[in-house]
Amino acid sequence: KMGPHGDEDPDLPPDAFQAVLHCWASLYGFTSLEAYGHLHFLNDEARDALFASNMRLAAIYSGLPVD
């Protein structure tokens, strides 16, 4: 079965697709903020803590295991 982009459609369950997309969007968004200097007012320690918190929340909301 071909997907919308001509590749094979792996029939990923909707909840798994949602988890992947949510995590990717969170990571992409945070990385964009960092890359374009929108977090420059934070020191390195605060930025690291914010990133860790963002990824933890993305995992929780996506139903992924969190330590």
Side-chain angles (χ1 to χ4, degrees):
K1 176 174 158 182
M2 297 302 280
H5 302 289
D7 52 351
E8 288 189 35
D9 184 2
D11 291 328
L12 192 64
D15 55 340
F17 178 77
Q18 179 182 357
V20 169
L21 188 58
H22 183 84
C23 287
W24 179 82
S26 293
L27 181 59
Y28 183 84
F30 190 91
T31 303
S32 294
L33 288 172
E34 176 69 22
Y36 291 105
H38 297 292
L39 301 176
H40 69 279
F41 62 94
L42 297 171
N43 64 33
D44 290 342
E45 185 177 306
R47 256 191 312 255
D48 290 347
L50 181 60
F51 177 77
S53 175
N54 186 344
M55 291 300 100
R56 181 175 171 78
L57 286 174
I60 289 169
Y61 289 134
S62 297
L64 299 172
V66 179
D67 294 330

